[in-house]
Each structure stands twice: as structure tokens, then as C-alpha cells.
Amino acid sequence: MFSRIGRLLLAAFLALGVLAVARPAAAAPPSCVPATAASAADYFNRTVPGKLARDDVPGAVVSVVSGTQTVFTRGYGESDVAGGVPMSADESLVRIASITKLFTATAVMQQVEAGRLDLDADVNTYLKTFRIPRTYPEPVRLRDLLNHTAGFEDRIIGTGARTAEDVVPLGEYLADNVPARIRPPGVVSAYSNYGAALAGYLVTLVSGEPYDRYIQRHILTPLAMAHTTASEPVPRGLKLARSYGDDGDVVPFTFDQLTPDGAISATASDMARFAIAHLNQGRGILSPATTATMHTRSFSADPRLGGYAHGFIDRTVNGHRVLMHDGSWEGFGSALLLVPDCRVAVFFSLNSSAGFEVLGEVVEGFLDRFAPGSAGPSTSGPRAEPPQAGFYAPTRRNASGVEKLLTLLGPARLRVESDGTLRFRNKTWTPSGDGSYRNEDDHLVAVSGSDGVRYVGTDGPTFELLGRTQTLPFNLGVLLVFAVAALSALVVPIVGGYRLARRRAARPGTRRTWRVSRGLAASAALLGLAFLIGLAASLFGDTSAYLYGAPLSFRLLFCLPLVAFALAAGAVGCTVVGWRGAGVLSRVHQVVLLVGIGALTWFCWQWNLIGWQFA
């Protein structure tokens, strides 16, 4: 479903899952190799050009920090292919997308330091024009927003805008698009752009400043980040690189309705300044005490897994603790990583969605060179039962709208093998002896949530066990029942035509009612089939427009099931009236049609396909 939307979902909920691939086999204690101008240049100059050429990526930028200094910056390739403009680490802005969340989290911590915000306060304490619904007894806290544990469902449709005029004021957009709460807060993490934007909005409420102005005054200006902006579009005088899709076409600028979650554009050199501040006790933007709090792990579903540190993604790679975040938007792919024990940081970004594999390879190679080591021993944690076999979907999902269908299209099956290993997400996970499972540097743990739901947590995303009726095999079976019935509906007009040609006499009254019931049922089935065909064409076609809202053609498509169900209701009534005067075969086929329509009705109800549930 949603080819472009699917990539956005994948890039965001994997949360730098590009690092969870093969690591060096030889065990070695964690160590730090000094990152100097010469050593960084040697690594990137040897690595980046060839990989960009291999995947046909126009350009990339990089910056490396060691201690208190930027030791290396460089641009590779072109920021504008048609104009032949080279990428510049000092001048070429890239859209850092979800790395913006680190600026938002920093702003939140500034206001916590100032005493205007409290991490453990109910967010409704600060909201004035709308409320987060009290779906569960536990309130959503500000801390939950930073940890992505608020329990919000996810949405993609309508989160972008084509022009500045189409952008709704942040508070108004948040009020009109409050997501459903689908689990209690603090149970597991489920990446939420809405939650991050809400955190940024709270900063604007208590500070009295718009988000972009706040970021400029309190973070960018103090750190001399003169070539970075949180404003959209990018102000004149700043040079935003062009970005490109998989096919090499230029990706148009898209405005973010949830600005605190991904609106910032920055140069690699400026991102080094931001990294230096965080590597050096918040110098210039936070006090040492507040920085220490921000860098403390604030959530993990299990001690053996990665988690969050007040906005930072908190991982262990090569035995080193890594604070990081990634982001992808409009063809840009970026990653910022800090390795506190080595006092080193790297920012790497490229301007084509064709290069996301390059992003992972380059960043991982950097860690292998400058922060080498093995995965290290498992962290002790509570003993747990093996995960339950079955189909699992990411906890980042939609539940109240048509996007719920993504849950059906994207589950992963977990199998427990006879030797005790697990097969999940095309990986083999080996027992670690402490109740967890390992695939190189990535860990997997079965988690029983306080909400009674079974989860599988990894160092990246968390997955939720699906009930049988939510699995793909079950739903394919339901659709098969309907498809067979719908195709058999073609028999009705054929038989009707045959009878007309033979001019067979039919008793008036009930026979006429029966013929009407047959026609209504057949029409309903065929309309339902047309709806599913149209839905499939929409899901697997070009879906870039869905970021701006459901297109008119998609909205009109949802008239078909309503008409089909109305016809089916009429068919049921006429069937009851005309039942006695019908033949046996005709009765059997009518039941087949109605059962098939019933299967379609259940499917549409299950996946929010009845009506216009787009928000």
C-alpha cells in the first residue's frame, strides 16, 4: 500500500535499523580510535564516492566531531544535478526530517530547566484549546511524548502540504487531528510524529514564541548555526539542495504540517555544532545537569533492549552506547550519531531515496572504524518465556481510519524453530541464555505489556502480536470467499438473458420479487468486487498525493461499498419475500451471494473501509 507512504513509514519506524545488520564476527572489547582530520578524510574519501556511484546518488554531505572540535566536513557529488551545483558541507542545506525531533527535545529540556514544563505532568495541564482524550486512567505525560510511549495511533494522510497557504497553524492542526489512543501510555514505544509535534507545541505555549522563532533564538543563534532554519520554506539567502526520488526525478518541496517533528533544514557544518554542544554538557544551550538528565535513558521496554533518552534513540553498537536519530523526507536521508565514551559524532546525509542503503553502510562503517568492538555480553534482565509464534505488526500503526489496512499489508511472521532459534523479519535470532535472542548487535525480547497484549521488542521497533482475524492469511481467505461469490454473480444476468430469449413464463408476484432479489444481490457483489479492484489499484499505484489528503478519486471510490451494502440490504428483504417461489439451485446460489457479501461487509468493517474514515 501507499508506495511513497510505505517508504516514509518504513524509514521512520525502523529508527535507524540500518545499523542492525552484520557486525564483525571477532569478539573485541570496545575501544575508541581517535577521529582526526586525516583519518576521517581517509575513511570518507575512500568510501563515499564509490557507493554514491554504485546506487546513482547525486550527492552527500558529512561532518565529524571529535571532542570540542569539528575535525572533518565535506560535500560529495552535486546538490543540483541540472545546474551542476556541487554539494557543500558549509552551504548546502539538507532537510534533516526527524532529526528535528532532537531540537524539539532540546527545547523541551530548556523549558524544563526554566521550570515552565514538567516531564511528568499531564500534557492536558498545558493545553488550552483542545484536550487529549482520557481513554485510559493513566494520563499522557510530557515524558511519554519524548519516549514515543503516549500510545497514539499513527497517521500519514494529510500530514503534508503543497504550499505555505495550505499549512494549518500548528495548534489548530493538532486540535483537529488528535489521534486515537490505542494503548495505555508507558507500555511500549510506538514512533509518533504527532507526539513529537505536540511536545514542540507545548514549548510554544509556555514560551509564547512560534516554533521556528524559538528554535532560532534559543538553539541556532547561540550555537552560531547560521545556515540552519526551522522555517518553511527555507528563507532566501540559504541554499537548499535538491532531492531526488528512486527514479532520479526531482522531489518537490513538501511543507510539514507537524513542524516540530521534521521541519528543520541544516548544513553538515552546522549539525557538527549541535553535536559539539551535546557532547560537551550542553554548552551554550543547556546546563550540564539538564544535559545529563536528557542523555539518561528514559524508556526501554526491557533492560536488554535499546530505548530512548529524552528524544535521542539510545542504542548499543560495538559495545558502545550510541545516542542518535535518523530522518528521511522528500528523498533526503540523514543520520546523526553521538558516541559519548569516544567523544565522537558524525552527521551524514544524502539527497536521494535511492541511497538509503548507502546511508546505513557509511554510518556503520564509521562506527566500525572509530568506535570498534564486539556486541558485548548481554545485559541482565528478567527471565522471560519465548515469544509466542504468530504474526506481528509494528506498534506504530493506525487503528481508527482507512490506514489501518497497512497493518494487514505489513505484518511479519515469527516462527520458533526446533533448535530454539527464532525466524523473524528474515533474520535468525539465537537464544542468549538470559531470555533474550540476538542477531549480531540486535536483540529481541518477548514483552508482556501491562495492557495484557503480547509484544516482541527489538533494539529498533516493537511489534504487537496480532489476533487471528487480523492476519493476512485469514483475511485472504475472507476475500477469497467473497471473490468466488462475486464472480459467480455473473451467472445471474446470463440465466436472465437465457430465460428472456426462451420467453419462459414466470408466475407474477413472488417470482418477480425473487428476480429482483437476484439482481440486487448480483449487483451488490459486482460493485463490491469493483471496489476491491479500485482499492488495490490505489494502494499499489502512485500515492504521493496522499500526504496532502485523500484524493477525490479515492474518496469517490468509497461510495461503491455503501451502494453495494444498500443493494445487499434490499436483496435480503426481497429474498425473504420471494424465497418460497424459487428453485433449489437458485436458492443455493442466492445464499452463496449473500454469504459472500457478508464476508465483504466484515472485511470492510474490520479495516475501516465503510464511509470516509481518512482522519
Side-chain angles (χ1 to χ4, degrees):
M1 178 182 185
F2 294 80
S3 56
R4 185 179 177 196
I5 290 179
R7 289 198 299 270
L8 291 172
L9 278 171
L10 185 65
F13 75 62
L14 288 185
L16 211 62
V18 291
L19 293 179
V21 294
R23 312 300 310 166
S31 61
C32 300
V33 176
T36 65
S39 62
D42 177 70
Y43 170 71
F44 285 103
N45 292 341
R46 287 173 179 267
T47 304
V48 174
K51 292 185 181 296
L52 296 184
R54 181 197 71 192
D55 289 1
D56 199 22
V57 179
V61 286
V62 62
S63 59
V64 177
V65 167
S66 180
T68 62
Q69 302 294 323
T70 301
V71 296
F72 178 73
T73 62
R74 183 169 175 181
Y76 297 90
E78 297 174 318
S79 67
D80 182 350
V81 174
V85 180
M87 268 285 203
S88 168
D90 296 326
E91 296 185 356
S92 299
L93 278 73
V94 294
R95 302 198 70 181
I96 65 172
S98 286
I99 300 176
T100 298
K101 293 178 175 67
L102 295 182
F103 289 79
T104 298
T106 300
V108 167
M109 297 306 293
Q110 286 177 333
Q111 293 305 305
V112 169
E113 183 176 305
R116 299 187 186 95
L117 288 175
D118 181 347
L119 289 174
D120 292 311
D122 181 346
V123 296
N124 283 328
T125 303
Y126 306 104
L127 296 175
K128 301 175 182 177
T129 60
F130 68 98
R131 313 291 285 176
I132 300 302
R134 297 191 178 278
T135 309
Y136 301 96
E138 305 87 349
V140 175
R141 304 168 301 165
L142 178 55
R143 185 185 304 275
D144 293 315
L145 302 183
L146 299 185
N147 293 336
H148 297 277
T149 56
F152 292 137
E153 68 173 349
D154 189 58
R155 294 177 184 171
I156 294 295
I157 295 176
T159 57
R162 290 186 174 90
T163 67
E165 291 73 25
D166 294 331
V167 176
V168 179
L170 179 60
E172 182 179 335
Y173 184 88
L174 293 172
D176 292 342
N177 293 275
V178 177
R181 295 177 61 188
I182 59 176
R183 65 180 60 87
V187 176
V188 292
S189 62
Y191 197 85
S192 174
N193 287 328
Y194 183 94
L198 182 58
Y201 178 60
L202 297 184
V203 171
T204 71
L205 290 179
V206 299
S207 68
E209 299 178 70
Y211 179 77
D212 59 345
R213 191 178 306 165
Y214 181 94
I215 296 298
Q216 183 66 54
R217 288 191 58 204
H218 299 276
I219 299 178
L220 305 184
T221 297
L223 297 181
M225 298 176 67
H227 293 84
T228 296
T229 181
S231 299
E232 295 181 327
V234 171
R236 291 183 179 180
L238 298 179
K239 303 174 183 177
L240 180 66
R242 288 189 179 277
S243 59
Y244 302 85
D246 295 345
D247 55 5
D249 290 343
V250 174
V251 179
F253 188 93
T254 300
F255 291 81
D256 189 356
Q257 297 279 19
L258 298 165
T259 47
D261 89 306
I264 290 179
S265 300
T267 62
S269 296
D270 275 0
M271 289 303 296
R273 295 181 175 90
F274 183 73
I276 288 172
H278 273 281
L279 279 178
N280 292 273
Q281 300 183 311
R283 189 175 65 186
I285 52 175
L286 291 171
S287 71
T290 302
T291 304
T293 298
M294 184 174 181
H295 292 178
T296 301
R297 176 168 288 198
S298 51
F299 178 80
S300 177
D302 185 278
R304 294 161 289 191
L305 298 175
Y308 284 93
H310 299 93
F312 280 98
I313 297 170
D314 187 357
R315 298 286 184 271
T316 299
V317 182
N318 293 345
H320 297 272
R321 186 184 187 218
V322 178
L323 298 175
M324 59 192 183
H325 216 294
D326 71 330
S328 63
W329 182 249
E330 265 185 22
F332 289 103
S334 308
L336 174 67
L337 293 89
L338 284 67
V339 188
D341 66 331
C342 293
R343 290 183 52 75
V344 67
V346 61
F347 174 78
F348 185 68
S349 180
L350 35 76
N351 64 342
S352 172
S353 56
F356 290 165
E357 184 175 347
V358 174
L359 175 65
E361 292 172 350
V362 170
V363 169
E364 183 183 335
F366 177 88
L367 293 177
D368 286 344
R369 174 148 182 184
F370 296 101
S374 67
S378 298
T379 303
S380 61
R383 299 289 297 183
E385 296 181 2
Q388 181 175 324
F391 287 89
Y392 287 78
T395 52
R396 181 186 183 183
R397 61 181 179 86
N398 183 271
S400 67
V402 66
E403 292 175 76
K404 182 182 179 182
L405 195 59
L406 287 168
T407 303
L408 177 62
L409 299 179
R413 186 172 188 177
L414 186 149
R415 286 193 290 266
V416 181
E417 305 292 356
S418 59
D419 61 357
T421 61
L422 307 179
R423 284 291 299 171
F424 185 57
R425 298 176 65 210
N426 298 317
K427 297 179 182 179
T428 298
W429 304 78
T430 305
S432 295
D434 62 350
S436 69
Y437 296 79
R438 175 178 289 180
N439 178 275
E440 303 298 344
D441 241 359
D442 201 1
H443 297 80
L444 181 150
V445 174
V447 178
S448 294
S450 58
D451 55 350
V453 177
R454 288 180 177 266
Y455 300 94
V456 163
T458 70
D459 286 330
T462 302
F463 300 85
E464 177 179 341
L465 180 66
L466 297 177
R468 186 168 65 92
T469 60
Q470 293 180 301
T471 63
L472 183 60
F474 183 90
N475 282 269
L476 287 178
V478 171
L479 291 179
L480 179 62
V481 169
F482 168 70
V484 170
L487 291 175
S488 75
L490 296 173
V491 172
V492 175
I494 293 174
V495 171
Y498 173 78
R499 285 179 172 173
L500 184 63
R502 296 290 299 270
R503 297 186 181 278
R504 293 179 59 185
R507 195 176 62 190
T510 55
R511 290 289 294 174
R512 182 177 302 165
T513 302
W514 180 253
R515 289 197 301 271
V516 170
S517 73
R518 299 282 284 147
L520 289 175
S523 298
L526 293 174
L527 274 178
L529 188 61
F531 168 69
L532 291 181
I533 293 172
L535 183 64
S538 298
L539 303 185
F540 296 104
D542 180 13
T543 56
S544 57
Y546 288 82
L547 281 173
Y548 314 117
L552 179 60
S553 59
F554 194 64
R555 293 177 179 274
L556 292 175
L557 179 65
F558 280 78
C559 293
L560 293 184
L562 296 179
V563 174
F565 298 146
L567 293 176
V572 170
C574 291
T575 298
V576 172
V577 173
W579 182 260
R580 289 189 176 183
V584 174
L585 289 179
S586 181
R587 287 179 180 181
V588 171
H589 186 242
Q590 185 73 346
V591 170
V592 168
L593 287 178
L594 294 178
V595 168
I597 295 170
L600 176 66
T601 304
W602 178 89
F603 180 83
C604 290
W605 169 80
Q606 168 82 342
W607 301 107
N608 299 329
L609 303 178
I610 300 176
W612 293 270
Q613 302 183 60
F614 304 131

Short mmCIF file of all heavy atoms in Angstrom, two decimals, residues 563-595:
data_model
loop_
_atom_site.label_atom_id
_atom_site.label_comp_id
_atom_site.label_asym_id
_atom_site.label_seq_id
_atom_site.Cartn_x
_atom_site.Cartn_y
_atom_site.Cartn_z
N VAL A 563 -23.08 1.84 -1.63
CA VAL A 563 -24.14 1.46 -2.56
C VAL A 563 -24.32 -0.05 -2.56
O VAL A 563 -25.45 -0.56 -2.57
CB VAL A 563 -23.80 1.97 -3.98
CG1 VAL A 563 -24.84 1.46 -4.99
CG2 VAL A 563 -23.75 3.50 -4.00
N ALA A 564 -23.19 -0.77 -2.55
CA ALA A 564 -23.26 -2.23 -2.56
C ALA A 564 -24.01 -2.77 -1.34
O ALA A 564 -24.85 -3.67 -1.45
CB ALA A 564 -21.85 -2.82 -2.62
N PHE A 565 -23.72 -2.20 -0.18
CA PHE A 565 -24.38 -2.70 1.04
C PHE A 565 -25.86 -2.32 1.06
O PHE A 565 -26.70 -3.06 1.59
CB PHE A 565 -23.68 -2.17 2.28
CG PHE A 565 -22.24 -2.63 2.39
CD1 PHE A 565 -21.28 -1.82 2.95
CD2 PHE A 565 -21.86 -3.87 1.90
CE1 PHE A 565 -19.96 -2.24 3.04
CE2 PHE A 565 -20.55 -4.30 1.99
CZ PHE A 565 -19.60 -3.49 2.56
N ALA A 566 -26.21 -1.18 0.48
CA ALA A 566 -27.62 -0.80 0.38
C ALA A 566 -28.36 -1.78 -0.53
O ALA A 566 -29.49 -2.22 -0.23
CB ALA A 566 -27.74 0.62 -0.14
N LEU A 567 -27.73 -2.12 -1.66
CA LEU A 567 -28.34 -3.10 -2.56
C LEU A 567 -28.47 -4.46 -1.88
O LEU A 567 -29.46 -5.16 -2.04
CB LEU A 567 -27.50 -3.23 -3.83
CG LEU A 567 -27.45 -2.00 -4.75
CD1 LEU A 567 -26.50 -2.25 -5.91
CD2 LEU A 567 -28.84 -1.66 -5.26
N ALA A 568 -27.44 -4.81 -1.10
CA ALA A 568 -27.47 -6.09 -0.40
C ALA A 568 -28.59 -6.14 0.62
O ALA A 568 -29.26 -7.18 0.79
CB ALA A 568 -26.12 -6.35 0.28
N ALA A 569 -28.83 -5.03 1.31
CA ALA A 569 -29.93 -4.99 2.27
C ALA A 569 -31.27 -5.20 1.57
O ALA A 569 -32.15 -5.94 2.05
CB ALA A 569 -29.92 -3.65 3.01
N GLY A 570 -31.40 -4.56 0.41
CA GLY A 570 -32.62 -4.77 -0.37
C GLY A 570 -32.74 -6.21 -0.84
O GLY A 570 -33.84 -6.78 -0.87
N ALA A 571 -31.59 -6.81 -1.19
CA ALA A 571 -31.60 -8.19 -1.65
C ALA A 571 -32.06 -9.14 -0.55
O ALA A 571 -32.80 -10.10 -0.81
CB ALA A 571 -30.20 -8.59 -2.13
N VAL A 572 -31.63 -8.87 0.67
CA VAL A 572 -32.04 -9.72 1.79
C VAL A 572 -33.55 -9.66 1.98
O VAL A 572 -34.22 -10.70 2.13
CB VAL A 572 -31.32 -9.29 3.09
CG1 VAL A 572 -31.91 -10.01 4.30
CG2 VAL A 572 -29.82 -9.58 2.98
N GLY A 573 -34.11 -8.44 1.93
CA GLY A 573 -35.55 -8.30 2.10
C GLY A 573 -36.33 -9.02 1.02
O GLY A 573 -37.31 -9.74 1.29
N CYS A 574 -35.91 -8.83 -0.24
CA CYS A 574 -36.61 -9.47 -1.35
C CYS A 574 -36.43 -10.99 -1.33
O CYS A 574 -37.32 -11.74 -1.75
CB CYS A 574 -36.11 -8.90 -2.68
SG CYS A 574 -36.59 -7.18 -2.95
N THR A 575 -35.26 -11.42 -0.83
CA THR A 575 -35.03 -12.86 -0.74
C THR A 575 -36.01 -13.51 0.22
O THR A 575 -36.57 -14.59 -0.05
CB THR A 575 -33.58 -13.13 -0.29
OG1 THR A 575 -32.67 -12.62 -1.26
CG2 THR A 575 -33.34 -14.63 -0.11
N VAL A 576 -36.24 -12.87 1.33
CA VAL A 576 -37.19 -13.41 2.32
C VAL A 576 -38.58 -13.51 1.73
O VAL A 576 -39.29 -14.52 1.89
CB VAL A 576 -37.20 -12.53 3.59
CG1 VAL A 576 -38.31 -12.96 4.54
CG2 VAL A 576 -35.84 -12.58 4.28
N VAL A 577 -38.99 -12.46 1.02
CA VAL A 577 -40.33 -12.43 0.44
C VAL A 577 -40.48 -13.46 -0.68
O VAL A 577 -41.49 -14.17 -0.78
CB VAL A 577 -40.67 -11.02 -0.08
CG1 VAL A 577 -42.00 -11.03 -0.83
CG2 VAL A 577 -40.70 -10.03 1.06
N GLY A 578 -39.48 -13.57 -1.53
CA GLY A 578 -39.61 -14.43 -2.71
C GLY A 578 -39.05 -15.82 -2.55
O GLY A 578 -38.99 -16.57 -3.53
N TRP A 579 -38.65 -16.18 -1.33
CA TRP A 579 -37.95 -17.45 -1.11
C TRP A 579 -38.76 -18.67 -1.54
O TRP A 579 -38.25 -19.57 -2.20
CB TRP A 579 -37.58 -17.55 0.37
CG TRP A 579 -36.81 -18.79 0.73
CD1 TRP A 579 -37.28 -19.92 1.30
CD2 TRP A 579 -35.41 -19.00 0.55
NE1 TRP A 579 -36.29 -20.83 1.50
CE2 TRP A 579 -35.10 -20.29 1.05
CE3 TRP A 579 -34.38 -18.23 0.02
CZ2 TRP A 579 -33.82 -20.81 1.01
CZ3 TRP A 579 -33.09 -18.75 0.00
CH2 TRP A 579 -32.81 -20.02 0.48
N ARG A 580 -40.05 -18.72 -1.19
CA ARG A 580 -40.84 -19.93 -1.43
C ARG A 580 -41.04 -20.24 -2.91
O ARG A 580 -41.19 -21.39 -3.29
CB ARG A 580 -42.20 -19.81 -0.75
CG ARG A 580 -42.12 -19.90 0.77
CD ARG A 580 -43.50 -20.00 1.38
NE ARG A 580 -43.44 -20.19 2.82
CZ ARG A 580 -44.50 -20.35 3.58
NH1 ARG A 580 -45.73 -20.36 3.03
NH2 ARG A 580 -44.36 -20.51 4.88
N GLY A 581 -41.04 -19.24 -3.71
CA GLY A 581 -41.31 -19.48 -5.13
C GLY A 581 -40.08 -19.77 -5.95
O GLY A 581 -40.16 -19.86 -7.17
N ALA A 582 -38.90 -19.89 -5.31
CA ALA A 582 -37.66 -20.07 -6.04
C ALA A 582 -37.26 -21.53 -6.09
O ALA A 582 -37.62 -22.34 -5.24
CB ALA A 582 -36.54 -19.26 -5.38
N GLY A 583 -36.46 -21.86 -7.15
CA GLY A 583 -35.93 -23.20 -7.27
C GLY A 583 -34.79 -23.45 -6.31
O GLY A 583 -34.20 -22.53 -5.75
N VAL A 584 -34.43 -24.74 -6.15
CA VAL A 584 -33.39 -25.11 -5.20
C VAL A 584 -32.04 -24.52 -5.58
O VAL A 584 -31.35 -23.91 -4.75
CB VAL A 584 -33.29 -26.65 -5.08
CG1 VAL A 584 -32.11 -27.04 -4.18
CG2 VAL A 584 -34.58 -27.21 -4.53
N LEU A 585 -31.64 -24.68 -6.85
CA LEU A 585 -30.34 -24.16 -7.27
C LEU A 585 -30.29 -22.64 -7.14
O LEU A 585 -29.26 -22.07 -6.75
CB LEU A 585 -30.06 -24.58 -8.71
CG LEU A 585 -29.77 -26.07 -8.92
CD1 LEU A 585 -29.53 -26.36 -10.41
CD2 LEU A 585 -28.56 -26.50 -8.11
N SER A 586 -31.37 -22.01 -7.48
CA SER A 586 -31.41 -20.55 -7.37
C SER A 586 -31.28 -20.11 -5.91
O SER A 586 -30.59 -19.14 -5.60
CB SER A 586 -32.73 -20.03 -7.96
OG SER A 586 -32.77 -18.62 -7.89
N ARG A 587 -31.93 -20.85 -5.01
CA ARG A 587 -31.82 -20.52 -3.59
C ARG A 587 -30.38 -20.68 -3.10
O ARG A 587 -29.85 -19.83 -2.39
CB ARG A 587 -32.74 -21.45 -2.78
CG ARG A 587 -34.21 -21.16 -2.88
CD ARG A 587 -34.95 -22.17 -2.03
NE ARG A 587 -36.39 -21.97 -2.07
CZ ARG A 587 -37.25 -22.71 -1.40
NH1 ARG A 587 -36.80 -23.72 -0.64
NH2 ARG A 587 -38.55 -22.48 -1.47
N VAL A 588 -29.77 -21.81 -3.49
CA VAL A 588 -28.40 -22.07 -3.05
C VAL A 588 -27.47 -20.96 -3.53
O VAL A 588 -26.63 -20.45 -2.77
CB VAL A 588 -27.92 -23.45 -3.56
CG1 VAL A 588 -26.42 -23.61 -3.31
CG2 VAL A 588 -28.70 -24.56 -2.89
N HIS A 589 -27.64 -20.59 -4.79
CA HIS A 589 -26.75 -19.55 -5.32
C HIS A 589 -27.00 -18.20 -4.65
O HIS A 589 -26.07 -17.44 -4.40
CB HIS A 589 -26.94 -19.42 -6.83
CG HIS A 589 -25.95 -18.47 -7.45
ND1 HIS A 589 -26.32 -17.32 -8.09
CD2 HIS A 589 -24.59 -18.50 -7.48
CE1 HIS A 589 -25.24 -16.67 -8.52
NE2 HIS A 589 -24.18 -17.38 -8.15
N GLN A 590 -28.25 -17.93 -4.32
CA GLN A 590 -28.55 -16.68 -3.63
C GLN A 590 -27.88 -16.65 -2.26
O GLN A 590 -27.33 -15.61 -1.84
CB GLN A 590 -30.07 -16.51 -3.49
CG GLN A 590 -30.50 -15.18 -2.88
CD GLN A 590 -30.34 -14.01 -3.84
OE1 GLN A 590 -29.68 -14.12 -4.88
NE2 GLN A 590 -30.94 -12.88 -3.50
N VAL A 591 -27.91 -17.77 -1.58
CA VAL A 591 -27.24 -17.85 -0.27
C VAL A 591 -25.74 -17.63 -0.45
O VAL A 591 -25.10 -16.93 0.35
CB VAL A 591 -27.52 -19.20 0.41
CG1 VAL A 591 -26.63 -19.38 1.65
CG2 VAL A 591 -28.99 -19.31 0.79
N VAL A 592 -25.17 -18.22 -1.50
CA VAL A 592 -23.73 -18.04 -1.77
C VAL A 592 -23.42 -16.55 -1.97
O VAL A 592 -22.44 -16.02 -1.42
CB VAL A 592 -23.30 -18.86 -3.01
CG1 VAL A 592 -21.91 -18.45 -3.47
CG2 VAL A 592 -23.33 -20.34 -2.69
N LEU A 593 -24.26 -15.88 -2.75
CA LEU A 593 -24.04 -14.45 -2.99
C LEU A 593 -24.12 -13.65 -1.69
O LEU A 593 -23.27 -12.80 -1.41
CB LEU A 593 -25.07 -13.92 -3.99
CG LEU A 593 -24.89 -14.32 -5.45
CD1 LEU A 593 -26.03 -13.74 -6.29
CD2 LEU A 593 -23.55 -13.86 -5.99
N LEU A 594 -25.12 -13.91 -0.88
CA LEU A 594 -25.30 -13.15 0.35
C LEU A 594 -24.21 -13.44 1.37
O LEU A 594 -23.76 -12.55 2.10
CB LEU A 594 -26.68 -13.44 0.94
CG LEU A 594 -27.87 -12.94 0.09
CD1 LEU A 594 -29.19 -13.32 0.75
CD2 LEU A 594 -27.79 -11.42 -0.10
N VAL A 595 -23.76 -14.70 1.41
CA VAL A 595 -22.64 -15.03 2.30
C VAL A 595 -21.38 -14.30 1.85
O VAL A 595 -20.61 -13.77 2.66
CB VAL A 595 -22.41 -16.56 2.34
CG1 VAL A 595 -21.07 -16.89 3.03
CG2 VAL A 595 -23.54 -17.25 3.07
#
